[in-house]
């Protein structure tokens, strides 16, 4: 019976208000709860203020003021109302303690990673070819790289993460000291002469040494420049040995670094062991 009365009332309204169609009756049934935010309700109301007049109960031009944000209280000619503050940006994920290198299947962690990154990186040391381990011969935490060996000496050099580099150049050439390039030489004008080892450092090798690591990374020269066949490629290059490294001149291959590349002494010695 009640449903019948409602239908009669609707028909009566349609007769009394012939300008109101069925679509407008649908709009009149739209409520603020149909919109996820005040801004969404406002946008709909602005598009059809007559059909959706029930969204603005107090007739102030603002629809669904009790809906959640974001908000849009803009009336014609007014600037949008201030929005609620944006949520804080998520904190960046902490960087993992280690970096894994798929190229060699080994990780670089902690102080060794910090040293590697700050004092030369891939170009100077290459990839790790072992994980960290305690060397039974020295009792020190050690890690081998393609071009270096890192050793942890706690408390000896905090500014460099207490990392010292193995004397790979000395170790690789221990049986070659009688060869002419390794014999003490006279000082050459325009070069740096190292009295402690009796050898000169000149030209592009000197420029590379001074700019990309110096004494702490490469040590002093233990030979003069001379020609030698690279064990990896079989190509002959001009080289010079240092306490911790071998410089190789590769003309035209890396002008930004004086065409100097470093020997893979770590790989050579580690394989030999």
């Amino acid at each position: 019976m009640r449903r019948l009365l409602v239908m009669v009332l609707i028909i009566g309204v349609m007769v009394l208000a012939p300008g109101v169609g069925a679509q407008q009756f649908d709009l009149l049934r739209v409520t603020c709860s149909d919109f996820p935010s005040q801004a969404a309700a406002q946008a709909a109301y602005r598009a059809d203020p007559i059909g959706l007049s029930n969204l603005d109960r107090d007739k102030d031009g603002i629809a669904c003021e009790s809906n959640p944000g974001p908000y849009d209280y803009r009336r014609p000619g007014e600037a949008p109302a201030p929005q609620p503050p944006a949520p804080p940006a998520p904190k960046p994920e902490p960087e993992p303690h280690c970096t894994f290198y798929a190229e060699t299947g080994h990780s670089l962690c902690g102080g060794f990673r910090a040293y590697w990154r700050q004092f030369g990186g891939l170009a100077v040391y290459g990839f790790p070819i072992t994980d960290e381990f305690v060397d039974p011969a020295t009792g020190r935490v050690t890690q081998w790289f393609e071009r270096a060996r890192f050793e942890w000496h706690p408390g000896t050099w905090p500014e460099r993460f207490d990392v010292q580099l193995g004397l790979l150049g000395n170790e690789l050439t221990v049986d070659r000291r009688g060869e002419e390039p390794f014999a003490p030489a006279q000082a050459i004008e325009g070069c740096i002469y190292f009295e402690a080892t009796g050898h000169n450092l000149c030209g592009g090798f000197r420029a590379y040494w001074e700019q990309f690591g110096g004494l702490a990374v490469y040590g002093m020269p233990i030979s003069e420049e001379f020609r030698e066949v690279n064990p990896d490629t079989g190509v002959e290059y001009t080289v010079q040995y240092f306490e911790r490294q071998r410089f190789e001149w590769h003309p035209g291959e890396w002008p930004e670094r004086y065409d100097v590349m470093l020997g893979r002494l770590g790989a050579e010695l580690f394989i030999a062991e």
Side-chain angles (χ1 to χ4, degrees), residues 53-72:
S53 60
N54 62 311
L55 301 183
D56 180 16
R57 297 296 184 184
D58 54 6
K59 308 304 178 187
D60 63 352
I62 302 174
C64 302
E65 296 170 66
S66 60
N67 274 25
Y71 305 101
D72 182 2

Side-chain angles (χ1 to χ4, degrees), residues 23-239:
Q23 182 180 5
Q24 286 173 297
F25 273 99
D26 289 339
L27 292 174
L28 290 172
R29 287 196 293 271
V30 175
T31 67
C32 290
S33 62
D34 295 316
F35 298 93
S37 67
Q38 189 279 325
Q42 188 70 33
Y45 174 76
R46 191 175 297 116
D48 188 2
I50 297 176
L52 294 175
S53 60
N54 62 311
L55 301 183
D56 180 16
R57 297 296 184 184
D58 54 6
K59 308 304 178 187
D60 63 352
I62 302 174
C64 302
E65 296 170 66
S66 60
N67 274 25
Y71 305 101
D72 182 2
Y73 287 174
R74 179 162 57 89
R75 298 184 179 91
E78 292 183 346
Q83 298 299 308
K91 294 182 179 179
E93 292 293 327
E95 189 175 12
H97 176 67
C98 298
T99 301
F100 177 76
Y101 292 93
E103 293 83 353
T104 57
H106 293 284
S107 296
L108 181 54
C109 308
F112 282 174
R113 183 175 71 171
Y115 184 98
W116 186 93
R117 287 178 169 178
Q118 186 168 336
F119 297 110
L122 186 64
V124 173
Y125 308 116
F127 292 111
I129 57 174
T130 71
D131 289 327
E132 293 181 12
F133 66 98
V134 176
D135 188 334
T138 64
R140 299 191 184 281
V141 176
T142 301
Q143 185 167 14
W144 285 85
F145 295 78
E146 292 174 301
R147 298 182 174 91
R149 183 181 66 232
F150 285 15
E151 302 170 357
W152 187 44
H153 293 242
T156 60
W157 206 347
E159 299 82 4
R160 298 180 77 96
F161 308 100
D162 291 329
V163 175
Q164 294 187 26
L165 304 180
L167 300 173
L168 303 191
N170 283 349
E171 294 171 23
L172 190 64
T173 63
V174 66
D175 296 325
R176 301 181 62 184
R177 298 307 171 87
E179 298 177 16
E180 183 178 351
F182 295 89
Q186 297 295 316
I188 299 174
E189 185 177 354
C191 301
I192 302 176
Y193 183 72
F194 292 82
E195 292 187 4
T197 59
H199 290 286
N200 297 278
L201 180 54
C202 311
F205 283 173
R206 172 182 174 178
Y208 185 98
W209 187 91
E210 291 178 336
Q211 185 170 340
F212 297 111
L215 188 65
V217 174
Y218 308 117
M220 292 182 283
I222 58 174
S223 80
E224 297 296 295
E225 295 181 12
F226 66 101
R227 300 286 290 178
E228 181 175 75
V229 174
N230 184 289
D232 289 330
T233 66
V235 178
E236 186 178 83
Y237 297 106
T238 297
V239 305

